[in-house]
Amino acid sequence: LKVSRYATPVARLTYRDSGVDTEASDRFIGRVAAAAERTRTPHSIGRVGGFAALCTLPSGLKQPVLVSGSDGVGTKLLVAHMANRHDTIGVDLVAMCVNDVLTTGARPLFFLDYLATGKLDVDRAAQVIEGVALGCAQAGCALVGGETAEMPGMYANGDYDLAGFAVGVLEREHLLQADRVREGDVVLGLASSGLHSNGYSLARKALLEVAGHKLDDRIEALGEPLVDTLLRPTRIYARACERLVHTGGVRVFAHVTGGGLPGNLPRVLPQGLQVKLHSARWPLPAVFQLIAEAGQVSEDEMFRTFNMGIGFVAVVAPERVGELVAAAEDSGERAYELGQVERLPCSAAKPAALIVTDR
């Protein structure tokens, strides 16, 4: 005997009728579970699909500090949609979160993702999360879980949005903070892979609307189709940061995201100091010159919007520069000596990043 408290309506609606397919969600979880499993670390506990994700702390830490970061990938998603290429955008998501966590000197422990869509496309969503798993593997952290929300009416069919959440850990006494920085310290820059995940609203406006380029156009200055340049994943600097910290002499790290070098370096400088950087000391990727010329964008605006070829910065003790450059390059990164830390003029009140454009 089946007893129900609810009156049975004449027309029997289902959740699928309203636009939510729970069976597709189950298929999706089954497909991405294997990708997440490949990112497991010795600190992972449990499995993907539970109500909560579990992770132990590394042993031997006297005063462990948990470091967290959350971010998305902005309008780079629109380029992925236009090109129907979704296999690398997950790497960008991990990079934007993990690179922020790395600035403290922490090692990444685990990552969670949030994917929201109007109607779940299992193949497309699986490509995205498999990209997240690839990013986690590059960062050395575990993809321990996440949330996939199907919200018809909130998003158009085919649209989706992403957010990510990274957690790392370090010993409190090793925390990198601005009070470590000294006048005379040297600024090292690690090369970006291009645009990373910032400035895409301006990049799309200049390249696709003003210049009229198509994504599949092969641009001579780039040496490849435009879409390959625009969707190249953000670099993840976890391995380099680990090597640099282990080598010694690092004062602080900075992740060069929205706001560029002028907007991000002052965040890790103490009062009374500035950095003076010489733009001729590192190569400018061709995509930035292409954007500047297509949109007639001023040099100042370019530096305030894009990373301009430098994705991550380390302020270091001057006597350790040679060792640290070698350590960065041994980890697979290109490192450049960008400039140094100076005393601010008496009239200036806030830390600053002064870019000398001497190309």
Side-chain angles (χ1 to χ4, degrees), residues 216-282:
D216 57 0
D217 286 351
R218 185 173 182 85
I219 309 296
E220 183 177 356
L222 302 177
E224 62 183 2
L226 178 60
V227 66
D228 291 345
T229 295
L230 294 182
L231 288 182
R232 181 159 289 114
T234 306
R235 290 196 70 78
I236 295 174
Y237 297 99
R239 184 178 301 175
C241 287
E242 183 178 11
R243 290 291 299 274
L244 293 175
V245 168
H246 178 76
T247 301
V250 175
R251 308 293 202 206
V252 291
F253 288 132
H255 182 198
V256 185
T257 56
L261 287 161
N264 287 284
L265 270 175
R267 299 167 65 179
V268 295
L269 297 177
Q271 293 291 330
L273 295 180
Q274 68 177 6
V275 292
K276 186 175 183 179
L277 310 180
H278 296 267
S279 67
R281 295 185 180 179
W282 74 90

